[in-house]
Structure formats: structure tokens, C-alpha cells
Amino acid sequence: SSNMEDSVSLKFHQQLLLISENLVTEDVAALKFLCTDLLHLSKLEGVKSAVDIFKLLMAQEYLNAKDTFLLAELLYRIKCHSLLKKLGYTKEKVQEHLHEKGRVSLYRQMLYELSENITNEMLENIIFLLQNCLPKRWITLSALDLLILLEKQGVLTRDNVQILEEVCDKVSPDLLETINCYKEAKEHIFSSPDVRTAVAKLLKELGVLPSFCLTEMHKSRCVLLSSEQKGTVVDGIFCFNPRLQSLAAESCLLHTDENRAFFFFLQNMTSYKMDGPHRGFCLVINNVKFKNSERKGSCKDVEQLERVFTWLGLDVKTCQNKTSQDIINIMQTWQHLQDHKNRDCFICCILSHGESGAIYGTDEELVSIRMIMSHFTAKQCPQLAAKPKLFFIQACQGTDIQRPVYVDAQIPVVPSTQQSFSLSESIPEEADFLLGMSTVDGCVSIRHPEKGTWYIQSLCSKLQLLVPRGEDILSILTEVNADVARRVSPSGTMKQMPQPAYTFRKKFIFPVPTDPPPS
């Protein structure tokens, strides 16, 4: 028995070591921050690695070989989903149990989510605005460090986030959505100790709260949404939804119409609205025939795109073999389309030859990707203002790897008089854009003459697999990156790495279609 326990303990510690080795410095900083409410700050300040955090959690009996859920929750919160399998979990399994086992408070989740959306430029501006509140010799390392300092000084607490509201309103009003979502939830949190005690007792009897929880339960563990209408709290029926998202993931919601509306409000705060009468248009431009080459296999991609995006509820329109001027004219036509007004989003897929930051028309003239996207900014296309606009570009972005048949490298030589573009200049500047590139700057994009391109085939496959699971588009594109990166050409010498760029302010989640995937 002793030998068996030693074996289990050794395996457990090996798991923790392996997880630690796969976490970078930023991940360790995020874990420290999320554990701030669980561990003494003085002990966390001495942490140098993930192993140090694991030791502290084990010392406080938060983590052991028989119960690894807290670590699974932490890895889930920092989006290290691939490490969950080392603990025997999946992303879906963690989500399913968050409502009953989650320990990271709503307040801590809100701060972490906020830090993830603060860019370096925003951070500099926030520090400038707060310079009178900060120590003169304090060296800024990250948004998390700033939040911890504000908490130490007592100007930021779970009951007072005014300082964050003020600076976010001046630096980037979009950040206020995360704070407002937290405040909306907090307005319904039990404030009376007697009420919290009664509910805690009930939840323990129901087996929702572990017996070792203090009777004075943590405020964030129970959200009151309709106590006045129900008379008393314990008269309500508690329901636990494993799909609870974002800041509401660990809350116990009372089962009323008002509460369901509130739940959907929380979801809408962090996701784009995708429940309109029409999903949107999907424009596909497929250039196959050029003067000196033909992009064989591209029609296979178009077939897949048409099937998958139709399945997702979009109206797909396909254009074949367009010159550079044709492409510009098409963009101008779609820019002024009044039908966008009643639709949730807009998607554009362009399949062609290309160079850095541009795609070719069939006349072998380049069209800037930035210019194509500029037709759909809020100013140029007000019907799509604040709506998600997704562009998927299947084209080479250079000729670093040259193959005559199987890649989109069969491109015409660019005359010296033609304008050159940079892929970095294609990254969208305005909010609500996503640009999915099939390859990184300077490289070719691989295409099979019969099966189509690696990128488009993987994109369609992952959409069919992951949309029914409720995954957002960025998570799906991450899976596409991993899938394409694993592939190797028959010669064993060619690989490919897609590259997404985005300015989304919320999650983009396709509603799950009622029909099964098309293939």
C-alpha cells in the first residue's frame, strides 16, 4: 500500500513538473495573479516558477494527487488548454464542473480578463493618468503588476473599481464592457450575511458547496437575481448550467425568466450579437486562370467554403477569375449594399496568387489587402459598423519556398513599376476586423492540385468540428494553425504556418446549426 501511494505521488509530481516546463514567464505571472485570493501575497512574491505555485497550493491543501481541479481551472483560465490532458481533463470537462468547483472569484476573473485586453500603448497611457497614485520609483512590468499595486494601495477592491472605470473610459472605452459586466453581476450578489448563511446552508445540503466551506460563504459564489419576487431565497430553484460563460461561469443562478434574460445579457456583453434574422453574406472570390498558370485544386476549396458557410447560415456569393479592377469594383458594390443592415456579420474569402500584403487579379496586377478591407470600415460601410467582419486570404505572401506544381507559388513576376506592399500593413487598424492569412509574410501557401489548399481545407474542417462545441473563432483558428503546422509536403521539405490578426472587441461565436455538418 505504501509503495502504491509512493508511486501515485511520484506520478503526480512528474505531472506537475511536466506542466511547469510547458509554462512560460507570462503564464506563471498569470497563475500568481489568479491565486492572489487563495494564497498569501507575501508568499506569492517569492514565486519564481510554476512549481513554486504548485508547492504553495499543496501546502494549503488546494492541490493533491486526488484533486487537481483547481490547477485545471487555472490552466483553463489562462487558456493553456493543451495542458489539461496531462491532468486527465478537457476544456469541456472543466467548463462542466466550474459551477460547482470553481475557486477563482468573479472579481479576479474580471481583472485578469481586463489585463489581457490592455495593450502596451494602453498601459503607458493608464500609468500616465495614474502617475500621482504610483510610487515615483516604481518600474512598470505588466498590466497585472499595475493591478496588484493598486490593490495593495487600497484604491482598487472588489467593492470599488471606480479607478479602473475612470482610466479605461479615457484610454479605451471598450475596456469598460468587462468592468460593467462585473458590476452588473455584483449588483445581484447577496449583501446580507443572514441571507448568505441561509443559502450556504441550503447549498451544502444539496451537495453544491463542499462541507469544509465557511458558512459565511464567499459572495461571488451565489448570485441573487430575483429574491423580492420569490419571497425568500430558499424558495427558489437552483439550476446549474455547465455552459455558463465568462464572468458568470461559477455563479449559481436562480431559475426565473428574469434571470435567464440576465444570463443572456452577460453572454452578449462578451460576444458579438449573432441572433439576428439573417446571419450575413459570405463573398468568395476565386481566381484560377492566369496568363501563364492555373491554380488547380482551388475549385475544391470553393466547394468546401460554399458548403460550410451555407451550413453556418450565411448567404454565399461566389465570383470567378476577376482582374484587379474587377476586385476593386466588387468591393465598392458590396460596400454600399444596404442588406448588410439586417445581418449579423460579413465574411470575405479570397483565393488567388499573392505577394506580401497583396493578392493578384487575373490580369497579374496586385491589389492591397489593406485597401480591400478599408471598404468595410464603420465610416465607409456604416451598415456594418460594430459588426464583425472576417477576411480569409488564401494566397502566397512571397516566394521563399518555390515549387512548380503543388503550391500557390506559380505567380507572375512583378514588374519593377508595380507597387509593393507589406503584410504588416495589412493588419486591420479599426475595431471588429479579423484577417486570416493562409501563411506568414514572405512564404508560399501550399495547394494540392486535386485536394485543394491546406489552409482552406483545414479551416472548413475545424469549423465543422468546433462550431457545434461552442468554440469562438479565435480558438478555431488556433486549431487551424496547429493542424496546418503539423502537415509536411510529400517531399518532406515544405511546411506552412497560417497567421491570423484581429481587432475584435468581443468573442465571435457562430450559433450552432440545427443541421449536421455537411461533411
Side-chain angles (χ1 to χ4, degrees), residues 335-510:
Q335 166 190 358
H336 299 294
L337 200 67
Q338 291 300 313
D339 280 356
H340 287 312
K341 185 176 182 180
N342 297 319
R343 298 176 187 265
D344 297 328
C345 65
F346 173 68
I347 297 177
C348 178
C349 305
I350 302 179
L351 292 69
S352 186
H353 289 312
E355 283 286 354
S356 180
I359 54 98
Y360 277 104
T362 54
D363 56 350
E364 300 182 359
E365 295 288 329
L366 287 171
V367 183
S368 161
I369 296 172
R370 168 65 64 83
M371 189 272 286
I372 290 173
M373 298 172 67
S374 70
H375 289 83
F376 301 94
T377 62
K379 183 177 180 179
Q380 297 298 325
C381 184
Q383 294 85 359
L384 286 173
K387 297 179 182 180
K389 296 160 278 280
L390 294 75
F391 290 77
F392 297 103
I393 309 296
Q394 168 56 51
C396 287
Q397 290 298 290
T399 57
D400 281 359
I401 300 175
Q402 298 183 22
R403 287 289 185 273
V405 177
Y406 295 105
V407 300
D408 278 1
Q410 309 156 331
I411 57 178
V413 177
V414 184
S416 59
T417 57
Q418 267 197 351
Q419 185 179 359
S420 62
F421 304 93
S422 167
L423 181 58
S424 62
E425 293 176 355
S426 301
I427 297 174
E429 289 183 336
E430 185 166 316
D432 308 309
F433 277 88
L434 180 143
L435 173 62
M437 301 295 300
S438 64
T439 185
V440 295
D441 195 18
C443 294
V444 298
S445 188
I446 300 173
R447 170 176 44 83
H448 192 282
E450 296 175 357
K451 298 179 181 179
T453 60
W454 286 2
Y455 179 66
I456 295 298
Q457 293 300 313
S458 179
L459 174 64
C460 292
S461 174
K462 295 301 180 182
L463 284 170
Q464 293 178 84
L465 176 67
L466 300 175
V467 165
R469 298 182 185 178
E471 296 280 4
D472 69 285
I473 191 65
L474 298 182
S475 298
I476 293 173
L477 290 180
T478 300
E479 291 294 323
V480 172
N481 277 10
D483 179 45
V484 173
R486 281 193 294 266
R487 303 190 187 197
V488 183
S489 66
S491 64
T493 59
M494 299 169 58
K495 292 181 74 68
Q496 182 178 328
M497 188 69 237
Q499 182 180 33
Y502 64 93
T503 55
F504 277 0
R505 297 173 296 114
K506 303 179 182 182
K507 288 186 177 182
F508 179 89
I509 302 174
F510 282 109

Side-chain angles (χ1 to χ4, degrees), residues 248-311:
E250 66 174 6
S251 302
C252 307
L253 301 186
L254 289 172
H255 188 66
T256 67
D257 291 338
E258 178 186 343
N259 302 338
R260 281 194 291 270
F262 180 69
F263 165 60
F264 287 116
F265 165 76
L266 288 176
Q267 282 192 314
N268 290 333
M269 288 294 290
T270 55
S271 300
Y272 285 106
K273 182 180 179 294
M274 292 289 286
D275 58 356
H278 304 286
R279 189 75 63 241
F281 288 108
C282 175
L283 171 64
V284 179
I285 297 177
N286 182 34
N287 283 348
V288 177
K289 295 182 178 180
F290 292 79
K291 291 180 181 179
N292 301 313
S293 65
E294 184 174 339
R295 296 183 58 255
K296 294 181 179 180
S298 189
C299 290
K300 186 74 173 179
D301 287 343
V302 172
E303 290 174 7
Q304 278 289 80
L305 289 171
E306 289 176 342
R307 280 199 297 263
V308 171
F309 283 115
T310 299
W311 170 66

Side-chain angles (χ1 to χ4, degrees), residues 134-197:
L134 305 177
K136 293 182 179 179
R137 294 185 179 182
W138 185 68
I139 300 176
T140 309
L141 298 177
S142 68
L144 290 180
D145 292 323
L146 176 61
L147 293 172
I148 290 173
L149 178 64
L150 294 176
E151 286 189 287
K152 283 183 178 179
Q153 294 181 330
V155 295
L156 173 63
T157 68
R158 67 180 65 250
D159 297 317
N160 182 10
V161 294
Q162 183 178 353
I163 193 168
L164 287 183
E165 292 179 284
E166 291 174 352
V167 295
C168 288
D169 185 46
K170 292 180 174 63
V171 171
S172 178
D174 291 341
L175 296 174
L176 286 174
E177 289 190 2
T178 301
I179 302 173
N180 290 337
C181 185
Y182 167 72
K183 288 180 65 180
E184 288 287 345
K186 189 175 179 301
E187 284 180 6
H188 298 83
I189 289 174
F190 294 123
S191 57
S192 166
D194 293 336
V195 171
R196 291 204 305 273
T197 300

